[in-house]
């Protein structure tokens, strides 16, 4: 079993030497990430990455992916539907336990007076890096025009060196649920990406409303969770929805 498309070259080599079948565990569609997140270089090399990725799929016994949408994309590229297996992420039932929001804020050294807007994920992942820049350049300035008592809590490994008094980078944390519970709303302003968007499900499981772009929400855009997942692709509208979902101050 190989993790990610980049292990495919080793899997193909081992298959040729041993005649043993291999499985690729696709966490994302890598050619899409290259296309949208490597600037001018990505625009030139993504067709090569796509050809390589498809080649490794063709000779694999099975392909694991995390969402039905990714499966559909792979199938549309000519790969046999029968060997593509969707293995969605699981969820810990402890996420459903309600915790005391004020107590968590104290433990995390967050002001009880500040509204907390949360974004979380691996911050060296290109779509998440782009989202942090969007928060800094597009969303934060619009929010501060409405309220100064707001903090953006950004949780994840490999945070950038960016500094702002209204942005808190925590680095990696042991239990993301504490941070979801401490927040007033969760945002996911992604412009690129693939996969199951599991962070949205985690936030909704904790009773939080999520403001997301349509790309950020992926295949979760449906009637069943419309009261918990709000889709906005214009940054003015995105910001207005955040404001609506923050607690009213006296």
């Amino acid at each position: 079993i190989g993790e990610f498309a980049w292990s495919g070259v080793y899997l193909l080599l081992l298959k040729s030497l041993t005649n043993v079948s291999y499985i690729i565990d696709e966490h994302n569609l890598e050619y899409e990430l290259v296309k949208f997140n490597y600037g001018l270089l990505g625009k030139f090399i993504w067709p090569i990455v796509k050809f390589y990725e498809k080649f490794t799929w063709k000779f694999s016994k099975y392909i694991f992916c995390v969402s039905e949408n990714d499966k559909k994309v792979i199938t549309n590229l000519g790969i046999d539907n029968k060997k593509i297996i969707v293995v969605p992420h699981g969820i810990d039932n402890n996420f459903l336990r309600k915790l005391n929001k004020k107590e968590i804020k104290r433990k995390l050294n967050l002001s009880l007076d500040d509204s907390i807007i949360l974004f979380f994920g691996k911050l060296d992942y290109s779509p998440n890096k782009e989202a942090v820049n969007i928060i800094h350049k597009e969303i934060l300035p619009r929010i501060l025009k409405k309220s100064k008592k707001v903090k953006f809590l950004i949780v994840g490994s490999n945070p950038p060196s960016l500094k702002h008094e209204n942005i808190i980078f925590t680095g990696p944390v042991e239990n993301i649920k504490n941070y979801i519970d401490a927040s007033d709303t969760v945002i996911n302003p992604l412009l690129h990406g693939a996969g199951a968007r599991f962070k949205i499900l985690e936030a909704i499981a904790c009773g939080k409303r999520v403001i997301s772009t349509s790309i950020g929400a992926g295949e979760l855009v449906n009637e069943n969770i419309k009261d918990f997942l709000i889709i906005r692709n214009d940054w003015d509208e995105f910001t207005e929805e955040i404001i609506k979902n923050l607690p009213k101050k006296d």
Side-chain angles (χ1 to χ4, degrees):
I1 299 179
E3 298 288 325
F4 298 98
W6 306 112
S7 64
V9 63
Y10 304 107
L11 296 172
L12 286 165
L13 177 61
L14 287 169
K15 180 177 172 64
S16 67
L17 293 174
T18 65
N19 200 33
V20 173
S21 298
Y22 66 86
I23 298 169
I24 290 187
D25 189 0
E26 282 278 0
H27 298 256
N28 296 287
L29 302 177
E30 297 297 333
Y31 74 87
E32 288 191 349
L33 297 182
V34 170
K35 182 178 181 179
F36 293 111
N37 293 288
Y38 289 89
L40 188 61
L41 177 63
K43 296 185 186 302
F44 280 108
I45 69 172
W46 79 264
I48 300 171
V49 176
K50 182 178 180 181
F51 175 82
Y52 159 78
E53 200 166 8
K54 183 177 177 181
F55 189 76
T56 64
W57 294 337
K58 181 179 179 181
F59 291 98
S60 66
K61 185 174 181 64
Y62 294 109
I63 304 160
F64 295 159
C65 58
V66 298
S67 74
E68 291 291 342
N69 187 63
D70 285 4
K71 178 179 180 178
K72 183 179 179 180
V73 172
I74 295 170
T75 302
N76 289 341
L77 289 174
I79 303 301
D80 185 1
N81 178 70
K82 294 179 181 178
K83 71 177 188 178
I84 307 170
I85 301 171
V86 176
V87 185
H89 297 299
I91 187 166
D92 183 348
N93 284 335
N94 287 328
F95 260 77
L96 303 177
R97 290 188 300 110
K98 192 103 174 176
L99 300 179
N100 186 298
K101 183 175 179 178
K102 288 185 177 180
E103 182 182 342
I104 295 169
K105 276 190 171 184
R106 289 190 188 98
K107 286 183 178 179
L108 300 176
N109 294 317
L110 300 173
S111 171
L112 297 180
D113 295 327
D114 284 333
S115 297
I116 304 299
I117 303 167
L118 175 67
F119 174 73
F120 62 97
K122 281 174 58 66
L123 300 180
D124 56 355
Y125 175 54
S126 295
N128 288 341
K129 288 171 66 176
E130 183 181 37
V132 170
N133 286 329
I134 289 169
I135 290 169
H136 180 228
K137 295 179 180 179
E138 300 287 350
I139 299 174
L140 175 60
R142 288 172 166 87
I143 291 287
L144 291 179
K145 289 179 182 178
K146 306 284 186 177
S147 174
K148 303 296 183 184
K149 299 185 77 62
V150 171
K151 294 284 194 246
F152 282 83
L153 190 60
I154 301 181
V155 179
S157 57
N158 299 303
S161 56
L162 186 155
K163 302 289 185 185
H164 194 285
E165 62 181 358
N166 291 84
I167 299 179
I168 302 169
F169 290 101
T170 68
V173 299
E174 185 174 343
N175 187 354
I176 187 60
K177 185 183 190 303
N178 290 341
Y179 294 81
I180 297 174
D181 284 334
S183 69
D184 293 295
T185 192
V186 178
I187 62 172
N188 197 34
L190 266 64
L191 295 182
H192 304 103
R197 279 65 170 188
F198 195 59
K199 69 176 74 175
I200 292 177
L201 296 178
E202 289 180 326
I204 291 174
C206 293
K208 299 299 177 179
R209 196 167 265 128
V210 180
I211 319 298
S212 177
T213 57
S214 53
I215 292 293
E219 63 193 59
L220 293 179
V221 181
N222 61 62
E223 287 293 308
N224 294 327
I225 56 174
K226 66 179 182 179
D227 292 334
F228 297 93
L229 177 59
I230 300 167
I231 309 299
R232 295 291 183 269
N233 293 309
D234 175 84
W235 298 129
D236 286 327
E237 295 177 1
F238 197 102
T239 302
E240 284 302 318
E241 289 298 336
I242 294 175
I243 295 294
K244 286 179 187 177
N245 285 280
L246 294 180
K248 299 294 184 286
K249 305 294 184 181
D250 295 331

